[in-house]
Amino acid sequence: MKLKKCLSWGLFLCLIFIINCGFLVVGHRGDPTKYPEETIQSDNSAFDSGADYVELDLHISKDNIAVVSHDDDLERMVGTNAIVSQNTFETLSKLQYSNGEHVISLEQLFEYYKNKPNAKFILETKVDHGVDKSNNLEKVIATSIKKYHMENRVMIHSFSAKSLYYFSQLLPNVERIFIVGSLKRINYDTLQYVNAVNVSSDLIKKYPNLVKWLHGSGKKIFVWAEMDESPKLWNWLINNNIDGVVTNFPATGFKYKVAKEGSKQIEINKDATYLGFTNAKTIMNPYQPVANKTKLSFLESIHVVNSVQVGNQLYYQLGGNSFVKADYISFDLNYDNLNPYFNAQVKSPSHTKVKVYLTPDHLSYLHKHLSFNKSYKIYGFSGTSKNLWIKTNLGWVQAREILFTNLPINSFAFSRYQLLDANTRYNNIELLSFTVLHDSYTHQFNPNLKSFLNHKALS
């Protein structure tokens, strides 16, 4: 069975390497499964995960400011029923997302990224030219692009053919992408002033020759879908010779892009934390792993210089000749986020099959599940507060799918749990009512962790 899996994986790699050209990874509204969409934090996460571009949406405010938001009504994202087109930007800029960031304008976005040349954007215009006969939004966007000299760092994206026509006049050297969900929208006239077409994956499945036809017409083709982390969907997409994928999971897109192009390195330069309960060996390089003498210990702070994808494994570079597997590394989690769960164990909720993965992502499903009515020790963490992964002796599981157990109500761990932000803590816990004298009883399997917690308690 193992041999069969290896042969299947080898065949998959051979297939994708047959196609030489790569594709662009576009973070849809940033990295929305990790952070609030269309915020700087979400955009940065997408770029750090390997996205070539971040796709953002623009509306025009009452006082003619281009505002970064997918919705005209901001209630879904900021909890306040504020209509962008009916409010001044001064009013809108006071509204906050759940991560504390404020609603921003296009110029504020450009100001933040102006000295970060690798940060590129696909800007989608949200305008109904059947209602608004002017091209005011397009003029405002064009002015900002010219002001910040972003002509080579942006593309324009729209469902509106009129909007793209206006941009062909205002910014003829900026690429324009027409978004369609039906072949009826693709016509000869529209193709004269667009460089690419963004279609649903369903449309390609329905019309297999569409990619070849558009390429034959000199147009690039981007694909959007209800993008999840299904290997089947991704394998199918990248073997269709597409030019870009607009995805909610830029890290997944990057992995497939790397598999298609060969090993690739991207710059990170961010502080992170090692979250494995057992010490991790560092290696001299990720290609022919040779161990260094240095090891990482639980909750040790590190600085990640680069990420390097080799085959099916992602590594982080900590220095010139120091690399470590990325599985237990997080840029967001720390002692305060995780302390309540140190003492916990996990188990499968009743009548629920909890999938187990080889690595903390959805690409490595091991085709096995946690056993019912059995508790599993935690050996480490990965991910973010909202997308937490937990390592068990069987493999990695997602925190949202399991049940945390071994959390007595009167324990120190539960008191710390109650202090967690309500937006990030997990409510799938099974509380125990018996009394414990101290929390270190569950750490006997890990002396290093026990020692660390004692130190934290004293400090």
Side-chain angles (χ1 to χ4, degrees), residues 138-301:
E138 289 81 10
K139 291 176 181 176
V140 171
I141 294 172
T143 298
S144 295
I145 290 172
K146 291 176 181 177
K147 177 180 176 180
Y148 284 89
H149 308 290
M150 297 289 285
E151 290 89 343
N152 295 324
R153 293 173 55 189
V154 298
M155 291 188 276
I156 305 298
H157 201 213
S158 189
F159 282 96
S160 169
K162 282 189 177 180
S163 186
L164 296 171
Y165 172 75
Y166 290 140
F167 275 109
S168 72
Q169 306 301 307
L170 293 166
L171 293 169
N173 295 324
V174 172
E175 291 199 13
R176 298 166 297 280
I177 307 171
F178 189 34
I179 313 172
V180 301
S182 166
L183 276 187
K184 294 179 180 178
R185 302 203 68 216
I186 304 176
N187 57 64
Y188 179 79
D189 289 338
T190 303
L191 289 182
Q192 298 309 297
Y193 50 84
V194 303
N195 307 95
V197 178
N198 189 2
V199 303
S200 70
S201 59
D202 290 339
L203 203 58
I204 297 180
K205 290 177 182 177
K206 189 174 181 180
Y207 302 101
N209 292 323
L210 181 59
V211 174
K212 185 177 181 180
W213 178 78
L214 284 169
H215 281 163
S217 302
K219 306 302 175 185
K220 295 178 182 177
I221 184 164
F222 288 71
V223 175
W224 58 271
E226 193 62 42
M227 292 304 300
D228 54 24
E229 291 187 297
S230 161
K232 183 177 180 181
L233 175 60
W234 279 99
N235 293 344
W236 173 79
L237 279 174
I238 66 174
N239 282 296
N240 265 282
N241 202 20
I242 46 93
D243 298 290
V245 179
V246 183
T247 172
N248 289 335
F249 299 90
T252 303
F254 176 66
K255 286 186 177 182
Y256 276 94
K257 177 177 179 175
V258 166
K260 189 172 183 178
E261 294 180 344
S263 299
K264 185 174 180 179
Q265 175 177 297
I266 62 171
E267 185 177 345
I268 298 292
N269 276 326
K270 290 183 68 176
D271 293 327
T273 306
Y274 174 71
L275 299 175
F277 283 4
T278 55
N279 292 340
K281 294 180 180 179
T282 63
I283 56 178
M284 293 184 182
N285 69 74
Y287 311 104
Q288 295 291 328
V290 177
N292 286 316
K293 292 182 179 180
T294 56
K295 296 181 179 180
L296 299 181
S297 58
F298 181 63
L299 289 175
E300 182 174 341
S301 296

Side-chain angles (χ1 to χ4, degrees), residues 32-43:
T33 66
K34 295 181 180 179
Y35 303 107
E37 65 185 47
E38 313 217 340
T39 62
I40 294 294
Q41 184 183 33
S42 185
D43 299 344

Side-chain angles (χ1 to χ4, degrees), residues 289-418:
V290 177
N292 286 316
K293 292 182 179 180
T294 56
K295 296 181 179 180
L296 299 181
S297 58
F298 181 63
L299 289 175
E300 182 174 341
S301 296
I302 57 176
H303 184 76
V304 175
V305 180
N306 296 302
S307 68
V308 181
Q309 184 83 28
V310 180
N312 203 31
Q313 179 64 56
L314 181 66
Y315 294 85
Y316 286 137
Q317 183 179 10
L318 310 182
N321 293 316
S322 181
F323 295 80
V324 67
K325 287 184 178 180
D327 293 357
Y328 290 105
I329 307 297
S330 174
F331 298 102
D332 304 277
L333 296 168
N334 55 35
Y335 173 85
D336 293 326
N337 301 132
L338 299 172
N339 176 270
Y341 308 118
F342 291 162
N343 288 337
Q345 296 182 356
V346 301
K347 67 179 185 180
S348 179
S350 299
H351 310 298
T352 301
K353 288 187 175 181
V354 177
K355 292 182 178 179
V356 180
Y357 298 84
L358 179 64
T359 54
D361 59 51
H362 288 92
L363 300 176
S364 56
Y365 176 41
L366 294 172
H367 298 281
K368 60 182 179 181
H369 306 85
L370 297 185
S371 300
F372 293 123
N373 302 317
K374 179 179 178 179
S375 295
Y376 294 84
K377 290 181 179 179
I378 295 175
Y379 291 92
F381 306 89
S382 189
T384 67
S385 295
K386 287 189 174 182
N387 187 34
L388 181 64
W389 287 83
I390 295 169
K391 182 64 184 299
T392 70
N393 65 311
L394 289 184
W396 290 91
V397 294
Q398 278 199 290
R400 67 170 66 98
E401 295 183 358
I402 54 84
L403 188 67
F404 287 101
T405 187
N406 206 34
L407 276 174
I409 292 176
N410 58 344
S411 67
F412 173 77
F414 184 66
S415 66
R416 295 301 297 246
Y417 169 81
Q418 292 176 302

